[in-house]
Amino acid sequence: MPVIDIEAENKAIAKEYKELLRISYQTLSSDDKKLIRKAFDVAVDAHKDQRRKSGEAYIFHPIAVAKIVASEIGLGATSIAAALMHDVVEDTDISVEDIEKMFNPKIAKIVEGLTKIAKVKTEQDISLQAENFRKMLLTLHEDVRVILIKIADRLHNMQTMESMVDYKQAKIASETLYIYAPLAHRLGLYNIKTQLEDLGLKYTEPDVFNDIVSKIKETKVEQDIYIKSISDILSKSLNDENVEFVIKGRPKSIYSIRRKMRVQNVTFEEVYDKFALRIIYKSDNLHDEKFLAWKIYSVVTDHYRPSPSRLRDWISSPKSTGYEALHITVMGPKGRWVEIQIRSERMDEIAEKGYAAHYKYKNADSEEHGLEIWLNQLKEALENQTSNAVDFVEDFKLNLYAKEIYVFTPKGDIKSLPKGATALDFAFSIHTDIGLHTRGTKVNGKLVPLNHTLNSGDQVEVITSINQKPTSQWLEFVSTSRARTKIKNVLNENARRIAEDGKEILTRKLRHLKITLNESVVNELVSYFKLQTSQDLFYRFGIGAIENQQLKDFVAQKSNSFVNFFKKTIKRTPSQPENFVKKDVNQKYDLLVFGKNQEKLDYKLASCCNPIPGDDVFGFLTINEGIKVHRKDCPNAISMQSNYAYRIMQAQWIDSSKEEFKVGLEITGLDSFGLANELTKVISNQMHVNIQSLSLNGDAGVFTGNITVIVQNNSVLKKLIDSIKKVDGVDKIKRIN
């Protein structure tokens, strides 16, 4: 263990503390500085014997979190003090009551909220991570600063994960992408959201991350020259118009480049808007702010042709997060599209700091802010939370990343809704009672179904009836979590009464079969009938949906050995042996083994990502289908690793038999005579790969095709894809599930 220079370390701690005070977004009074100093002294003393995995003194972590809170989020002295002490109650003998006595109830409440988030109790039949997220969200409506400090804590943890083992890095990164990045986005913390996403990608898909980073570095000089050429032209014209401004080049985040590559199935080179220009202008008053934005828009479009379909006016209708800006995409030199963002200094501060900057400018805006409306809706949802934490978090996430549309009430008031919202969603957004008694809806004067999808600019009228009540079908008519929660609450009340009767019916039937109804039997029945909760089970017995023969079949299989195997296995924590080395895959690596002991277990290959030998994979213990094997880059991997970390099993391919796997390939390109013959030659004659099916369709000189081949493993597949790419006319080839 290296020798620690205590004197040098203390100097470094003092330097970090001074930096914290210097970079604070808000002006700190002498009382503020005394408060922060007191919190710093408490934290230093409390953590004096603790060190992080990297070996550095633990106190560096709370100081770093406080710096993010002070500078990047922009909160004041109360939050900075709470951030400095955010781990004190969890890690030391100091209690929340002690903090209240030393400081004040407000700081104690924030620290208590942060401590509640940190303490996760083990509960059966529920995702631990989802339950943790629900606890975290319960603190959000009490004091949003709790979540803001937690996001800062997560950002610093993500920045300092190098010392952790791989599987822990992947788990924490998945959790970050699953909930913390969307939360940061929803709270208007765009810089932090971008950092969390990029760091999340770094640890969930390190090869992809490093490849994009290296390509960005390769093209940086060329892009800088390109940005400068546009900036110089615009700067001259803006100076002529006496506009005070700065122009910044902003590269697209690594995560958003990766997302675009995946969604559009394009290469790095084919992502056309890898950077944007941001024009930040000075406006002395709110009255001139909007006028100046459109004046700058006019200057830009004098030089470069805009794309009408890509104009985003978030100045006239700000996002519900409070974000304001004018976004235009123009055709720049060399025929390349460039996004240009136009913001005032005030708008830029709100975009960078979110919540804190909004409150700095709050007096200038008399309308209720979108974030406050959202927090009130969240409070409503939390007060009516369901028993299933995973469902709750999934519902909550529905609206975190949703793009917005703007619709009008019959009186001309504007309402913001997530893109994809329906007429019934609109009714619930007006008022819960209106939503629950909706009989019909009119859009632009015409009667439409309740599930009619709304577009920006629609005017919506709701027709109500006191006798109307929600049905279970309504859940299919809505897309917002608010509407879903309200509908579920009404349906659950009725279901609860039926479930109570169902429980009595089930108890009586099991008694006849010589089985006593207890928690263990209920859990087995829930699993057997593929249900979510015990209430679902009792409800089905209450309405007679489960027949006597089905119950007898359950009793007959009750002694099945897999049930015992599942119970034993699900308690294991996923682990990875220290000496694990990733082997090169050759044609013989085709047998899957699980865990550190390399056990051969029964498994199924997941249809969502269709893994084959050589793919990086993991095992996932399902409730009813045993072990399902997924690729590590499976679209569902982030959610599974974040929500169900305790069900993840390490898996790897080892040398064994010559089993073969079916893989689908999609090909597009320029049509030519004899193309099918060329493809067959390459696949069958050169690569000696068996073709199960091949279909090609040509249309106006362009072809699309699907080929199903039989391969031994990933290595053979990669060689095959490389060979097909060389066939004249082939433009793109991708693996399909």
Side-chain angles (χ1 to χ4, degrees):
M1 190 171 172
V3 177
I4 297 161
D5 185 338
I6 299 297
E7 188 180 342
E9 191 171 73
N10 288 338
K11 281 182 181 176
I13 292 168
K15 185 182 176 186
E16 288 294 305
Y17 172 72
K18 286 175 186 172
E19 177 78 357
L20 165 65
L21 298 178
R22 189 181 67 77
I23 63 174
S24 176
Y25 171 70
Q26 297 194 14
T27 304
L28 299 173
S29 67
S30 58
D31 286 344
D32 289 339
K33 289 178 181 176
K34 283 176 188 172
L35 178 72
I36 294 168
R37 179 70 204 201
K38 189 176 178 183
F40 171 72
D41 290 339
V42 169
V44 168
D45 185 58
H47 297 300
K48 63 179 181 290
D49 298 324
Q50 285 180 274
R51 296 205 164 264
R52 302 190 83 201
K53 276 192 168 62
S54 61
E56 73 172 9
Y58 192 87
I59 189 62
F60 283 108
H61 169 64
I63 295 173
V65 173
K67 284 171 74 174
I68 294 168
V69 166
S71 176
E72 294 195 50
I73 302 177
L75 299 179
T78 298
S79 300
I80 295 169
L84 284 166
M85 298 187 291
H86 77 273
D87 280 335
V88 163
V89 173
E90 185 192 353
D91 294 346
T92 72
D93 295 332
I94 296 173
S95 67
V96 173
E97 291 74 23
D98 294 333
I99 289 175
E100 187 170 343
K101 286 173 190 170
M102 286 188 280
F103 294 91
N104 57 55
K106 198 171 281 184
I107 290 177
K109 191 83 176 167
I110 295 172
V111 173
E112 183 184 26
L114 289 159
T115 307
K116 279 181 185 174
I117 294 169
K119 290 182 178 176
V120 190
K121 292 180 182 176
T122 302
E123 296 176 33
Q124 291 183 330
D125 300 322
I126 198 164
S127 160
L128 304 187
Q129 289 308 318
E131 186 59 31
N132 192 19
F133 297 147
R134 177 155 72 178
K135 286 179 183 177
M136 180 173 73
L137 296 169
L138 281 165
T139 67
L140 203 157
H141 74 274
E142 291 172 8
D143 194 328
V144 71
R145 289 175 294 188
V146 175
I147 296 297
L148 294 168
I149 295 168
K150 184 61 191 173
I151 288 171
D153 178 41
R154 176 50 61 109
L155 175 59
H156 187 247
N157 283 334
M158 288 294 292
Q159 290 168 341
T160 54
M161 280 211 302
E162 290 86 356
S163 306
M164 288 188 178
V165 293
D166 289 354
Y167 76 87
K168 280 191 178 178
Q169 289 174 340
K171 181 213 172 273
I172 292 168
S174 297
E175 186 180 282
T176 298
L177 290 173
Y178 183 70
I179 197 78
Y180 286 97
L183 257 178
H185 172 87
R186 196 60 187 75
L187 292 166
L189 303 171
Y190 298 109
N191 274 353
I192 289 179
K193 177 209 76 162
T194 299
Q195 290 179 66
L196 289 173
E197 286 179 337
D198 285 355
L199 288 165
L201 184 66
K202 178 181 178 180
Y203 291 108
T204 54
E205 296 184 70
D207 293 343
V208 173
F209 176 86
N210 292 327
D211 184 48
I212 293 173
V213 168
S214 66
K215 284 177 177 172
I216 288 173
K217 284 179 182 173
E218 286 170 15
T219 57
K220 188 177 186 307
V221 174
E222 182 203 339
Q223 284 200 0
D224 287 348
I225 294 168
Y226 188 81
I227 289 170
K228 188 176 184 305
S229 69
I230 299 173
S231 299
D232 289 347
I233 291 168
L234 294 179
S235 294
K236 185 179 183 306
S237 295
L238 289 169
N239 284 325
D240 290 344
E241 294 290 338
N242 296 317
V243 176
E244 289 187 61
F245 68 94
V246 291
I247 297 182
K248 298 177 182 176
R250 181 192 65 87
K252 205 175 189 74
S253 74
I254 299 161
Y255 184 82
S256 60
I257 290 173
R258 166 59 170 159
R259 185 169 53 211
K260 186 154 280 194
M261 287 167 63
R262 176 179 273 167
V263 170
Q264 297 182 358
N265 187 32
V266 294
T267 63
F268 175 86
E269 289 72 23
E270 291 171 307
V271 177
Y272 68 81
D273 54 348
K274 290 190 278 284
F275 62 90
L277 278 177
R278 187 173 290 159
I279 302 172
I280 301 164
Y281 63 93
K282 186 177 179 64
S283 175
D284 294 328
N285 58 67
L286 281 174
H287 182 264
D288 294 336
E289 207 176 43
K290 189 174 178 181
F291 169 75
L292 279 169
W294 287 104
K295 185 176 183 177
I296 294 168
Y297 170 86
S298 177
V299 169
V300 172
T301 53
D302 281 345
H303 292 284
Y304 303 108
R305 183 168 54 84
S307 167
S309 64
R310 291 178 65 85
L311 171 64
R312 302 288 181 265
D313 177 10
W314 286 307
I315 293 178
S316 302
S317 301
K319 288 187 176 184
S320 57
T321 57
Y323 180 82
E324 296 174 74
L326 202 56
H327 288 202
I328 53 176
T329 302
V330 299
M331 180 60 75
K334 302 178 184 176
R336 290 161 66 178
W337 289 108
V338 181
E339 184 183 71
I340 296 179
Q341 301 172 358
I342 302 169
R343 300 176 181 171
S344 69
E345 290 175 342
R346 179 189 68 83
M347 295 173 194
D348 191 56
E349 270 193 86
I350 289 173
E352 299 294 312
K353 300 287 188 292
Y355 175 89
H358 161 69
Y359 280 93
K360 175 181 173 181
Y361 292 101
K362 189 175 180 183
N363 294 335
D365 184 4
S366 59
E367 292 181 22
E368 187 176 13
H369 183 239
L371 179 60
E372 289 171 335
I373 296 169
W374 180 73
L375 289 172
N376 288 334
Q377 289 175 356
L378 173 65
K379 184 177 182 180
E380 219 172 59
L382 289 162
E383 285 167 353
N384 298 294
Q385 57 188 281
T386 59
S387 59
N388 188 315
V390 179
D391 283 352
F392 171 77
V393 172
E394 286 295 343
D395 274 356
F396 175 74
K397 274 177 61 64
L398 277 176
N399 297 135
L400 283 180
Y401 261 145
K403 292 184 177 178
E404 291 173 310
I405 59 168
Y406 300 92
V407 296
F408 295 92
T409 67
K411 291 181 179 178
D413 295 328
I414 195 164
K415 294 284 291 183
S416 166
L417 288 168
K419 189 175 181 182
T422 64
L424 189 55
D425 282 313
F426 173 83
F428 277 97
S429 76
I430 298 296
H431 195 280
T432 300
D433 282 343
I434 290 174
L436 294 174
H437 295 103
T438 299
R439 187 182 175 193
T441 49
K442 285 184 176 180
V443 173
N444 304 326
K446 292 182 181 177
L447 205 60
V448 297
L450 296 180
N451 62 350
H452 175 83
T453 303
L454 300 174
N455 296 307
S456 276
D458 283 344
Q459 190 168 31
V460 191
E461 180 186 347
V462 181
I463 304 161
T464 59
S465 167
I466 195 70
N467 299 318
Q468 184 67 49
K469 290 180 181 176
T471 67
S472 57
Q473 195 177 15
W474 278 25
L475 291 171
E476 298 170 21
F477 294 167
V478 295
S479 67
T480 60
S481 56
R482 174 187 171 83
R484 289 179 66 84
T485 301
K486 295 300 178 186
I487 295 165
K488 280 180 181 177
N489 286 343
V490 173
L491 297 176
N492 286 346
E493 195 56 47
N494 185 40
R496 223 172 275 126
R497 288 194 289 270
I498 296 171
E500 286 172 9
D501 296 337
K503 188 175 182 180
E504 290 180 19
I505 294 167
L506 175 59
T507 304
R508 193 169 62 247
K509 287 184 175 183
L510 285 174
R511 198 180 296 129
H512 284 304
L513 296 168
K514 304 289 188 287
I515 290 177
T516 303
L517 184 69
N518 55 34
E519 189 179 347
S520 173
V521 172
V522 168
N523 289 340
E524 289 174 33
L525 280 162
V526 168
S527 170
Y528 180 78
F529 288 110
K530 300 181 182 179
L531 303 172
Q532 293 289 324
T533 65
S534 56
Q535 183 167 309
D536 293 340
L537 176 74
F538 300 146
Y539 177 79
R540 277 162 177 73
F541 275 98
I543 61 173
I546 297 176
E547 298 174 359
N548 289 340
Q549 186 56 49
Q550 290 175 283
L551 192 60
K552 288 176 182 176
D553 292 343
F554 160 75
V555 173
Q557 66 80 52
K558 195 173 181 307
S559 59
N560 189 310
S561 59
F562 174 71
V563 176
N564 295 326
F565 161 75
F566 179 79
K567 281 184 177 177
K568 183 178 82 174
T569 314
I570 200 166
K571 291 175 184 173
R572 295 196 311 210
T573 303
S575 61
Q576 185 162 299
E578 294 298 323
N579 61 353
F580 175 76
V581 178
K582 188 174 178 180
K583 299 181 179 69
D584 289 332
V585 177
N586 61 38
Q587 293 204 14
K588 293 183 179 179
Y589 281 91
D590 57 2
L591 176 69
L592 257 184
V593 290
F594 298 87
K596 66 170 76 173
N597 297 323
Q598 298 195 352
E599 297 174 82
K600 295 177 185 177
L601 303 171
D602 290 337
Y603 65 88
K604 291 180 181 177
L605 297 173
S607 58
C608 55
C609 56
N610 192 27
I612 65 171
D615 287 339
D616 286 333
V617 292
F618 63 89
F620 180 71
L621 277 164
T622 65
I623 299 289
N624 300 298
E625 298 182 83
I627 301 169
K628 278 279 188 81
V629 175
H630 294 260
R631 295 198 333 235
K632 283 189 177 176
D633 63 353
C634 171
N636 300 317
I638 296 293
S639 175
M640 286 186 286
Q641 289 169 342
S642 175
N643 258 338
Y644 302 98
Y646 60 101
R647 290 196 200 169
I648 302 293
M649 297 181 73
Q650 178 203 327
Q652 66 180 110
W653 298 99
I654 63 168
D655 190 346
S656 182
S657 64
K658 296 211 181 254
E659 194 177 352
E660 294 180 317
F661 295 82
K662 184 161 63 173
V663 177
L665 298 173
E666 183 179 273
I667 304 178
T668 57
L670 300 174
D671 204 359
S672 61
F673 182 74
L675 180 67
N677 189 39
E678 277 298 310
L679 288 170
T680 306
K681 269 188 201 173
V682 169
I683 299 169
S684 298
N685 298 351
Q686 292 179 24
M687 295 298 300
H688 307 292
V689 170
N690 183 23
I691 301 173
Q692 191 175 68
S693 66
L694 187 152
S695 67
L696 298 173
N697 296 304
D699 182 21
V702 175
F703 81 87
T704 58
N706 286 304
I707 306 174
T708 305
V709 294
I710 307 297
V711 296
Q712 286 78 39
N713 54 45
N714 182 268
S715 182
V716 174
L717 179 63
K718 282 180 179 173
K719 288 177 184 173
L720 177 64
I721 288 172
D722 288 341
S723 297
I724 293 173
K725 279 180 180 174
K726 294 173 185 173
V727 173
D728 185 38
V730 172
D731 178 40
K732 289 181 185 174
I733 177 168
K734 71 170 182 175
R735 180 172 162 185
I736 55 175
N737 298 326

Coordinates of all heavy atoms in Angstrom, one line a residue, residues 4 35 57 85 118 202 274 282 301 304 336 444 556 572 648 664 691 707 728:
I4 N 1.0 7.5 2.5 CA 0.2 8.7 2.2 C 0.9 9.9 2.9 O 1.2 9.9 4.1 CB -1.2 8.5 2.8 CG1 -1.9 7.3 2.1 CG2 -2.0 9.8 2.7 CD1 -3.1 6.7 2.9
L35 N -21.8 29.0 7.3 CA -22.6 27.8 7.3 C -21.9 26.7 6.5 O -21.8 25.5 7.0 CB -23.9 28.1 6.6 CG -24.9 26.9 6.4 CD1 -25.5 26.5 7.8 CD2 -26.0 27.2 5.5
A57 N -8.5 10.1 0.2 CA -9.3 10.4 1.4 C -10.8 10.6 1.0 O -11.1 11.2 0.0 CB -8.9 11.7 2.1
M85 N -22.4 17.1 3.6 CA -22.7 16.2 4.7 C -23.6 15.0 4.2 O -24.2 14.3 5.0 CB -23.4 16.9 5.8 CG -22.5 17.9 6.5 SD -23.3 18.7 8.0 CE -24.7 19.6 7.3
A118 N -30.2 6.3 0.1 CA -29.0 5.4 0.2 C -29.3 4.1 0.8 O -28.7 3.1 0.5 CB -27.9 6.1 1.0
K202 N -19.8 4.8 -21.8 CA -18.4 4.4 -21.6 C -18.3 3.0 -20.9 O -17.4 2.2 -21.2 CB -17.7 5.5 -20.8 CG -16.2 5.2 -20.5 CD -15.6 6.3 -19.7 CE -14.1 5.9 -19.3 NZ -13.5 7.0 -18.5
K274 N -23.2 16.3 -36.4 CA -22.3 15.9 -35.3 C -22.0 17.1 -34.4 O -21.3 17.0 -33.4 CB -21.1 15.2 -35.7 CG -21.4 13.8 -36.3 CD -20.1 13.0 -36.5 CE -19.4 13.3 -37.8 NZ -20.1 12.7 -39.0
K282 N -27.0 39.1 -25.9 CA -27.3 39.9 -24.7 C -28.6 40.7 -25.0 O -28.8 41.3 -26.0 CB -26.2 40.9 -24.4 CG -26.3 41.7 -23.1 CD -25.1 42.5 -22.9 CE -25.1 43.3 -21.6 NZ -25.2 42.5 -20.4
T301 N -30.5 33.3 -41.8 CA -31.2 32.8 -43.0 C -30.9 33.6 -44.3 O -31.2 33.2 -45.4 CB -32.7 32.6 -42.8 OG1 -33.2 33.9 -42.3 CG2 -33.0 31.5 -41.8
Y304 N -27.7 31.4 -45.1 CA -27.8 30.0 -45.3 C -29.3 29.6 -45.4 O -30.1 30.1 -44.6 CB -27.2 29.2 -44.1 CG -25.7 29.6 -43.9 CD1 -25.3 30.4 -42.9 CD2 -24.7 29.2 -44.9 CE1 -24.0 30.7 -42.7 CE2 -23.4 29.5 -44.7 CZ -23.0 30.3 -43.6 OH -21.7 30.6 -43.5
R336 N -23.6 20.6 -46.2 CA -23.8 19.9 -45.0 C -24.8 20.7 -44.1 O -24.7 21.9 -44.0 CB -22.4 19.8 -44.2 CG -21.4 18.9 -44.9 CD -20.0 19.1 -44.5 NE -19.8 18.8 -43.0 CZ -18.6 18.9 -42.4 NH1 -17.5 19.3 -43.1 NH2 -18.5 18.6 -41.2
N444 N -60.6 20.1 -33.2 CA -60.9 21.1 -34.3 C -62.3 21.0 -34.8 O -62.6 21.0 -36.0 CB -59.9 20.8 -35.5 CG -58.4 20.9 -35.0 OD1 -58.1 21.6 -34.1 ND2 -57.6 20.0 -35.6
A556 N -50.2 -30.4 -9.0 CA -49.5 -31.5 -9.5 C -48.0 -31.2 -9.8 O -47.1 -32.1 -9.6 CB -50.1 -32.0 -10.8
R572 N -28.4 -15.3 -5.3 CA -27.0 -15.1 -5.5 C -26.8 -13.7 -6.1 O -27.5 -13.3 -6.9 CB -26.5 -16.2 -6.5 CG -26.5 -17.6 -5.9 CD -25.6 -18.5 -6.7 NE -25.9 -18.4 -8.2 CZ -25.7 -19.4 -9.0 NH1 -25.3 -20.5 -8.6 NH2 -25.9 -19.2 -10.3
I648 N -29.1 -11.2 -12.7 CA -28.1 -11.3 -13.8 C -27.1 -12.3 -13.4 O -26.5 -12.4 -12.3 CB -27.4 -9.9 -14.0 CG1 -28.4 -8.8 -14.3 CG2 -26.4 -10.0 -15.1 CD1 -29.2 -9.0 -15.6
G664 N -30.3 -13.9 -39.2 CA -30.9 -13.1 -40.3 C -30.1 -11.9 -40.6 O -29.6 -11.2 -39.7
I691 N -26.9 -21.4 -46.7 CA -28.0 -20.4 -46.8 C -29.3 -21.2 -46.6 O -29.6 -22.1 -47.3 CB -28.0 -19.8 -48.2 CG1 -26.7 -19.1 -48.5 CG2 -29.2 -18.8 -48.4 CD1 -26.6 -18.6 -49.9
I707 N -31.5 -12.4 -45.9 CA -30.9 -13.7 -46.1 C -30.8 -14.3 -44.7 O -30.5 -13.7 -43.7 CB -29.4 -13.5 -46.6 CG1 -29.4 -12.7 -47.9 CG2 -28.7 -14.9 -46.8 CD1 -28.0 -12.4 -48.4
D728 N -20.2 -6.1 -55.3 CA -20.5 -4.9 -56.1 C -22.0 -4.5 -55.9 O -22.8 -5.4 -56.2 CB -20.1 -5.0 -57.5 CG -20.3 -3.7 -58.3 OD1 -20.0 -2.7 -57.7 OD2 -20.7 -3.8 -59.5

